[in-house]
């Protein structure tokens, strides 16, 4: 297994129209989860990937399983008979203004426990990828992520963390308190500039350097339409974003992480990893859905041509 | 106010296709709640109606308010900043096989408290209508319903109760334990044959008579396509259902109750109330949605003609 | 030209769901007109057909033209710069209960005038088909239909009239006053039993005979699911309807007329005409839309097999 | 009541696709009316609002009532048994090219009469808002608006007028003849630059000043993406528009007026009123629908952040 | 692996409305294939299942793979760079009248070759299931099916064949010539009464017995709404169909086969297999889609209750 | 007949969403064909137009006929009982990235033969328009196009050719080999810059001049958003594109050709032809669909105003 991810994947309803949700006429049903989006992203680029989580013993749990298996992800998901699969409703309140309504409190996914980690799956991966969201879901889920990281480190598995701070789930202070101690356990760290500023200050390059001083071998600070900066053993690097017509920005960070990890697995140098990451993110945000538009390796190659970036 | 209802109204998503929900392509968003359906039903028939409940301070709460106000219902709904509006997903698993997925645990609606009852609203009503569902939502909601009933009785307001047993919310035993003591407080009781059998046995007429012996002046046992039986001061009565092409049976019981209460408010004799109830239910189940198809008084009159019952 | 029809064709919006129109989520746009439905019906069965009417110089007029031309109908429609194309909204209030909302008062179609009849088109037809609707649209439209009938008779063209009484457009008394004098000008008359009762009484056969005594060589009284009876030089005949799963009964009468006229054009004997008429109507009502489901001659043949009538 | 509006609200059908209407595949049904949009706008911002109009005694009239009541608007609408509710079809002919097809001639709304003005409603308002459209609908409707203005002035109610010139309803000359005499009766006047040029010439500031010289205490000339200028006792002011991704420009002017009147009701100074107006308009045009996207006060605050204006 | 199937799975487009396809407004995209439907059916009932086929190296091939993997099917599908994935358009011409339009000539699936059979997959199965369709797709596909059967027999794997005669693909005579020699190689044979009559005559029981005399240990003749008859070592058996509201009859035969094979795998006696088969088919035909409605074992149990068979 | 076109028109399915086709939820059905788009374009601008092709004797053939007839095109299409109507699936893989999936190999349209050319139709046209696509469909179709050109030349009919190179159908080398010999037979040649570079090199003006030296009296090289250049007896001309919000670029070249040919038919000078061509293309690409948005002459006039080009 090239990449193993751990986290919650929910059912997700998204409206077909822009406006207050109460006036929407139709909604489509899919699934959403930061970690499973990363898994799908690396899988489409050709790397075996697994997702570990927990789902309800219900129809929406069956939906999560179907979508991830359909994408070729190896799914390790205990079916919890006592809690429903988490659910989120997306709202496109206005052009460029999105809101999310969560129904994930006490969801099956948030009840993930260390016992849900199957023997040997994390241990035999090349990369373990987790996100800050899991630490916000509750003690049991947070502990599970910590155990996964510990097992990965014990087995020499590269540990990747995306800070992914969700203000709807916890406070800035709680997030820093939970995530700061982890930084020394992490090999690759992804953070948006906003997230990085919870831990440091200065320019994007300053942020990356400061975070790197806390432990990670590589820190990538993503800057949206401004691209990304990286601090690593290769020093500081900056890449621009690939200009595209943005259709759905949700999932941009996860797509970026997937592209980066794919480059890492290929043994690409840091600047090639970053360029791969921006190319993957560019295609992902120019399609509807968090993850549906993630590119295959073949599709990725066309990003250099004029078709994708018109 | 002719009728005041108390209970939870949720946002409700329903698929456009028949099949497992995970394969649905589009869902429509509306609201659902047994008590608010009764309120809408009596309002369409020309009687002022109110609904008392609690909603989240969120978009789906705004949806509940919009729909009920749009129907001319007086809405008394505290906006709870700490809990989301309840949500349910409907599934049409196969022709004639429906499933419901609730996201209402710890919802704003289930946190309804006696303090949410506005002064004088219940007291000045002609009829207070509650359902067994509210007693299953938690101690606070159950207590609220009990307080409402007590206030109604103190003010000489007719009390109407629909047993409305939901096995997804509590056990048969818990339902009986909670609802049995209420029967002596109730003037009009609605029960399906299945529900009535939790308290008694025998034929439909036996069930009605047995339940009436526990206190209610009138007991109506609904029998679906078989019509309904009533035990009241006028003795035992039976009416057949109005034959229609059923499109969506959900809401049939609430529609029936609305039609019955309308007859009661008009001062109709028992058999006319029952016929009005079956006519309202017939039109309601021959349209999509729990309550959207409820008839106006003018539309109701056409049920005697061939158009409705073709 | 085998059949020439004269009348109003409107744009027509129909909801995708069953319920009060105000809760519909999507509507589809098509066209509707009794006479153009007859034209499409005979055209699909292989006979050249024309429609004469008037449309607005607007987008919905372009829609009417596009649909009829797309069906291979020869269209003679003056574009009126001063009046809009007529419009109707269909409502499926409940299963089996339909309502229609007209926006056709002072429409271009209702302003049809005798000057709109192109030279020689009616005169060179085998059959002229008109309906009672046109007489209800206003003096100018009614006069146009009368002129068309007169020209047809002068040229030896068979005149076909469908009474098509629309209570939303005029009263029973007005309809009888306008249509009774026409009966002596007509060769083939179609009437539903309800319509026939405006002029006579008794059984269906009585009705047909009584109407025939007013002039038409052949009178066909349609009885919906009961089939049809005919009074003609061949005497009284009765045919049963073809049993089908009804999806949309609108257009049944026009489909029947189209099938009958096709049989007449083929030189079929009366009973074969009636059977052809019922077969065409059966297929038409088992599809969505007034006219979209009308069969080709090839499709018609399958009605005798089990596929259509399962 | 903070704001009372008088005018016609119609049912409105809008296509889901861009292209000639005859190729549209689905349409959605809502309501549209300049004055009711203003009412909804101020209501969402927290001010009680009422709408006075007339509707047909039909399903589309029920739709108008449902939508406005659902928004918390107090509705004073006589149901006219003799005329249908007005209807409009929107067409998105091409990107940025919209067309409207009206079915409102002789509609119930256009038959509004002074007798439809309920006693005391206009008189007890803080602001009466009318638009030039009502003067174009016919003598009776125009007279109604004039009576409403007179009553407002007699009661010391602020009178707000949006010129809202619709070339599909009347000529420039007729509009000027009808509206010019009104200017001396008005306290607040809204006009687009195009509309203002019917009465004056010069720069936007010139136009505002010239119109103000005709009577209104305040004149606001809206300039679309260029913002707005105002001439008032505070002198000449200019505010830029808030840059957004425009999704549906229809309703921009009404949204602007709603925001301005809300500021007026709050006692904001002129420049704050204008900024509030542009913020409300910005959010409204960045959602589908004329009025569905109007912001609440809470949503309005976010416009200063990057989310709304990204 | 419990069941291995071999055959073609195509992309399939189905309209949302009933009527001629040229008037359809929306179509949904899924996949269709007799053998993969059987695989999904047995998989949902809890048995590991595999599908062997060939797909194009294109988006629709990715669709086939996604859907089958999403259902938990092990997919062995070579991607053919030189031929597209097969495609079919479904048409619901009228209620109860379906038509299919194939775009599968020279499709990747029809180019299936014996070299596409992975080593050991057929050999290690408990049951190999094939259908007559594959023999109609061309020499290479037919040969592949024959090789699979031969390998199965060599390894003691039970061979199941559904005659599945498609008149759109070949003639009756060609079908008999190709399939008759196979009967002696088959352990379980499924045939509709129509198909069975290509090989024998008489009552359903006669047909089953006559076919059994050609070799198969068990022959099941399906009779649609009349149920099924079986001829086996246990003698002749007949089971009725489970009465349901039929929504989509396509896939009924494959669902039946899946239920039967599940019973066989469980070691059920013949009559229990047949009852399981009719129950699975009943649920499948009461949902939209060929296979989407196939039941899990848990859902199957409810078929005995009133919910499914209302 | 002003313009006669010869070529293949297919059924075309297009998704409603942006993303990989396998995740599309709904598709719409229309028709597509370069030559018929040109025919529709000139017809909408007021010139009689005809299309010669071949379709299957199937529902999708009926669709092609219906759409073209609905647009007022004279259709000469033999119905081939042995081959299906061609089909294409459009995919909007990401914003600005389109893919096409053809099911046209051995389609009825590709089997077009010289015998399908009706007597006198090409001969009596003012312009014959063909495209390079037809030469890629197979020997028979290519020969048909050659015969049509020969007949046109013999009758003094202007010959118009759009190179329209489709790399999905043949190689660059094959295209040049087939099309180069034709250039001397052509009066008006349309080529994109990419296509022109198959035959020459240099600037756009160079390309036009070089191609003109091979025979055509006029060569127009289209440059997308950069406009177009022309080499003709009037020398070299360049026009800019009309700036619009592009919604669907497919059909831009055909729209351009239609506008140009309309100008030619009107006797406009070269620069007016080019401006007409760019205006037609601008409107066409700012609506959904290949041809649905093509303007009428009246609509074209508005392009000079601000509405179309906002």
């Amino acid at each position: 297994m090239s990449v193993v991810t751990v986290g919650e994947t929910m059912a997700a309803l998204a409206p077909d129209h822009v406006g207050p949700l109460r006036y929407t006429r139709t909604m489509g049903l899919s699934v959403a989860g930061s970690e499973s989006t990363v898994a799908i992203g690396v899988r489409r680029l050709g790397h075996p990937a697994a997702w570990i989580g927990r789902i309800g013993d219900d129809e929406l749990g069956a939906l999560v399983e179907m979508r991830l298996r359909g994408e070729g992800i190896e799914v390790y998901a205990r079916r919890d008979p006592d809690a429903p699969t988490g659910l989120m409703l997306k709202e496109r309140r206005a052009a460029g203004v999105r809101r999310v309504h969560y129904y994930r409190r006490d969801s099956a996914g948030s009840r993930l426990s260390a016992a849900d980690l199957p023997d040997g799956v994390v241990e035999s991966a090349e990369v373990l990828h987790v996100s800050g969201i899991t630490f916000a879901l509750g003690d049991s889920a947070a502990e599970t992520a910590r155990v996964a990281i510990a097992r990965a480190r014990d087995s020499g598995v590269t540990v990747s963390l995306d800070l992914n701070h969700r203000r709807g789930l916890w406070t800035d202070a709680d997030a820093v308190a939970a995530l700061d101690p982890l930084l020394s356990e992490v090999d690759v760290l992804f953070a948006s500039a906003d997230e990085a500023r919870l831990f440091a200050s200065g320019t994007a390059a300053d942020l990356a350097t400061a975070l790197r001083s806390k432990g990670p071998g590589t820190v990538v600070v993503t800057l949206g339409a401004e691209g990304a900066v990286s601090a690593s053993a290769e020093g500081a690097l900056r890449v621009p974003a690939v200009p595209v017509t943005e259709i759905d920005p949700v999932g941009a960070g996860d797509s970026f992480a997937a592209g980066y990890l794919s480059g890492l697995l290929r043994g690409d140098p840091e600047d090639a990893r970053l360029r791969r990451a921006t190319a993957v993110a560019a295609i992902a945000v120019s399609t509807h859905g968090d993850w549906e538009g993630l590119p295959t390796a073949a599709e990725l190659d066309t990003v250099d041509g004029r078709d994708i970036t018109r």
Side-chain angles (χ1 to χ4, degrees), chain A:
Chain A
M1 197 56 51
S2 300
V3 176
V4 170
T5 64
V6 179
E8 179 172 24
T9 301
M10 294 170 285
L13 282 150
D16 285 327
H17 298 87
V18 175
L21 202 52
R22 63 188 180 277
Y23 282 108
T24 197
R25 294 188 290 134
T26 48
M27 302 190 83
L29 181 61
S30 185
V31 304
S34 170
E35 301 83 6
S36 53
T37 295
V38 173
I40 294 169
V42 297
R43 184 72 198 87
R44 288 216 181 151
L45 291 168
H47 315 279
W51 171 76
I52 301 170
R54 189 188 281 206
I55 52 180
D57 188 17
D58 50 26
E59 180 65 20
L60 297 184
L63 168 70
V64 169
E65 212 168 28
M66 175 184 84
R67 284 276 184 247
L68 298 187
R69 281 191 179 156
E71 286 293 327
I73 305 299
E74 226 163 89
V75 174
Y76 299 95
R78 191 168 132 195
R79 296 203 144 219
D80 189 328
D82 298 323
T85 303
L87 175 67
M88 63 182 278
L89 273 66
K90 302 178 178 182
E91 183 179 14
R92 298 159 69 190
R93 174 59 185 84
V97 183
R98 286 162 192 278
R99 294 198 292 217
V100 165
H101 307 276
Y102 284 130
Y103 287 85
R104 71 194 300 186
R105 201 181 293 172
D106 298 325
S107 66
S110 70
R111 287 154 57 109
L112 183 69
S113 80
D116 294 340
L117 296 171
D119 287 343
V121 172
V122 168
E123 290 82 349
S124 62
E126 291 183 70
V127 176
L128 168 73
H129 178 80
V130 294
S131 94
I133 295 170
T134 307
F135 296 89
L137 296 181
D139 291 346
S140 176
E143 177 61 16
T144 309
R146 274 188 213 99
V147 170
I149 291 172
R151 287 207 210 160
R153 291 183 67 81
D154 287 350
S155 305
V157 175
T158 298
V159 175
S160 164
L161 171 70
D162 187 333
L163 288 183
N164 247 335
H165 182 41
R166 291 285 185 275
R167 288 201 170 82
L169 295 177
W170 58 354
T171 65
D172 288 5
D174 284 349
V176 171
L179 299 175
D180 197 79
L182 285 175
L183 300 183
S184 59
E185 315 286 317
V186 163
D187 299 298
V188 180
L189 179 73
F190 299 96
S192 70
D194 270 3
E195 290 162 352
R197 278 192 208 101
L198 296 175
F199 298 87
S201 62
T203 66
D206 294 342
L207 293 168
T209 304
L211 280 168
R212 187 166 183 254
S213 72
K214 289 171 179 278
T218 303
V219 175
V220 183
V221 175
T222 56
L223 305 168
E226 308 302 312
V229 298
S230 155
S232 71
E234 299 183 32
L237 283 170
R238 176 162 200 143
V239 291
V242 178
V244 287
T245 300
E246 184 185 287
I247 287 192
D248 186 348
V250 183
D254 301 324
S255 305
F256 184 96
Y260 183 93
L261 294 179
S262 169
L264 181 153
L265 289 164
R266 287 155 46 104
D268 287 350
E270 182 68 11
D271 64 338
R273 294 177 193 179
L274 293 173
R275 284 200 313 272
R276 192 170 185 84
T278 54
V280 170
I283 299 179
V285 301
S286 61
T287 47
H288 287 300
D290 296 12
W291 52 268
E292 283 85 347
L294 282 161
T296 61
E299 288 169 340
L300 190 57
D301 292 342
T302 69
V303 83
D304 296 319
R306 82 206 120 86
D307 273 345
I308 291 281
T309 61
R310 58 182 304 278

